[in-house]
Amino acid sequence: MLIALSEYAKIQNRSNDTLRRMAEKGLFKSAQKIGRNWVIDSDEIYPVKKRTQAKESFSVISLFSGCGGMDLGLVGGFDFLNRHYEKTGFEIIWANEINASACKTYRANLGNYIVEGDIKTEIENLPKYADIIVGGFPCQDISINGKMLGVNGKRSSLYSYIVEAVKRVKPKIFIAENVGGLLLKQNEYSLNKILEDFNSLGYNVDYALYHAEDYGVPQTRERVIFVGTQKDLPRFVPPKPTVKTPVTAKEALQDLENLPQDKAFSHIWSNANVSGEQGNRRLIADRAGYTIRAECHGNIQFHYSLPRRISMREAARIQSFPDTFIFPCGLRETERQIGNAVPPVLAWHIAQKVKAVLRNNANE
């Protein structure tokens, strides 16, 4: 008897989205699409791959998710510059972002589980448990390009919701990300306050400054990442640099040089004239790209050889997004989303070491 694929998903205790993707790949013998809906024989045996070893799975709650750069890196399963970054076994079960456009991009690439809304109210809807909580709390008040208000600023104080989420969920590990400027002398109070609050949770807390170009990201981008681990787990050990020589702007972008503008591919660029604002530098072909900013107001850096600013697809490349990552928004919103994101490749390398902690072998 034919039944809706959604009903079959309930019977098998599986995700409806997962079964739909399996049906689209032809993994079910009897599945067929009627109109917009999938149906399947109720007696169909669920296909199970033979495995030599059971796959690990770790659940993740994501806060301040943006368009999904950090989450893509944590989950894995993408390609960038001819390298495949395999799936990690991490599964995002709940995500939150206040910006509607960023949520639109997240849904197009990662899943419909992102909740659009203010964390101040949505925190009441957190799942009861997850293995990991991750959040890149807003950095505008800490960034050297911002007002330097520190954690007392309206936006950067939102890190306290990561603290509150950890208190409620009690994950095995939490990860918090912010700009490298947090380690500057003028932000000493903010750093100490954040560490005090994170340490009050009863976790071992470690933090380090990461240079994205050390991990195959073609960009000189600094980020501070805090990792808290439960006391009965090994302490987190940061991943070692994976490249001796940074990937250059030309290596990352040269195959895009002769492509015409293509909105669907996000290969579109700002025509803003040169101004006195930051962002008017020209990329240097044999060096990694400059930091992609979120609020450059069209003043994004110029191409190393072409008489134009870099396109959004080129900016995404510099941030290590795969070309399959879709930005279904306008130029300005896309610019902001890319600039706010954590480079997926950097996040992937961090995920490997987080997984090693969860396996109780931090030196893996």
Side-chain angles (χ1 to χ4, degrees), residues 178-235:
N178 207 260
V179 293
L182 182 59
L183 301 186
L184 293 175
K185 180 67 175 177
Q186 54 264 47
N187 283 320
E188 184 176 6
Y189 168 80
S190 295
L191 174 62
N192 289 336
K193 176 60 176 169
I194 290 170
L195 285 172
E196 178 185 341
D197 289 346
F198 283 162
N199 279 309
S200 71
L201 295 168
Y203 288 67
N204 289 321
V205 179
D206 297 279
Y207 71 95
L209 179 67
Y210 292 80
H211 298 272
E213 67 270 26
D214 290 342
Y215 299 91
V217 178
Q219 179 185 188
T220 54
R221 189 181 190 90
E222 293 183 345
R223 283 298 182 269
V224 176
I225 296 180
F226 301 83
V227 179
T229 57
Q230 286 187 347
K231 298 287 187 178
D232 59 344
L233 290 174
R235 295 190 78 126

Side-chain angles (χ1 to χ4, degrees), residues 81-239:
L81 297 184
N82 300 315
R83 176 176 172 179
H84 181 66
Y85 293 84
E86 65 182 10
K87 284 189 172 293
T88 61
F90 293 171
E91 179 184 2
I92 313 292
I93 61 170
W94 193 88
N96 172 244
E97 169 59 40
I98 194 171
N99 182 275
S101 295
C103 287
K104 182 178 180 181
T105 299
Y106 193 106
R107 292 187 191 100
N109 294 279
L110 290 160
N112 292 323
Y113 45 78
I114 189 163
V115 176
E116 180 183 330
D118 194 328
I119 186 60
K120 295 175 183 177
T121 55
E122 295 302 337
I123 197 168
E124 300 299 330
N125 300 317
L126 281 175
K128 292 183 178 180
Y129 180 75
D131 296 306
I132 303 165
I133 286 179
V134 61
F137 57 99
C139 61
Q140 289 88 341
D141 299 316
I142 292 171
S143 170
I144 58 173
N145 295 315
K147 296 181 179 180
M148 301 297 286
L149 299 176
V151 291
N152 292 323
K154 183 178 180 180
R155 294 183 177 181
S156 293
S157 63
L158 292 172
Y159 83 92
S160 62
Y161 286 92
I162 298 177
V163 176
E164 179 61 25
V166 173
K167 285 181 179 178
R168 295 184 182 208
V169 177
K170 297 179 175 58
K172 295 176 181 176
I173 293 178
F174 70 85
I175 308 166
E177 175 268 345
N178 207 260
V179 293
L182 182 59
L183 301 186
L184 293 175
K185 180 67 175 177
Q186 54 264 47
N187 283 320
E188 184 176 6
Y189 168 80
S190 295
L191 174 62
N192 289 336
K193 176 60 176 169
I194 290 170
L195 285 172
E196 178 185 341
D197 289 346
F198 283 162
N199 279 309
S200 71
L201 295 168
Y203 288 67
N204 289 321
V205 179
D206 297 279
Y207 71 95
L209 179 67
Y210 292 80
H211 298 272
E213 67 270 26
D214 290 342
Y215 299 91
V217 178
Q219 179 185 188
T220 54
R221 189 181 190 90
E222 293 183 345
R223 283 298 182 269
V224 176
I225 296 180
F226 301 83
V227 179
T229 57
Q230 286 187 347
K231 298 287 187 178
D232 59 344
L233 290 174
R235 295 190 78 126
F236 176 80
V237 178

Side-chain angles (χ1 to χ4, degrees), residues 36-37 54 58 62 66 77 93 160 181 241 244 249 299 310 313 316 321 323-325 340 362:
R36 294 185 176 182
N37 302 313
F58 301 105
S62 172
I93 61 170
S160 62
K244 293 181 178 179
N299 292 321
I310 61 172
R313 180 53 58 189
F321 279 97
D323 287 349
T324 52
F325 199 93
N340 274 327

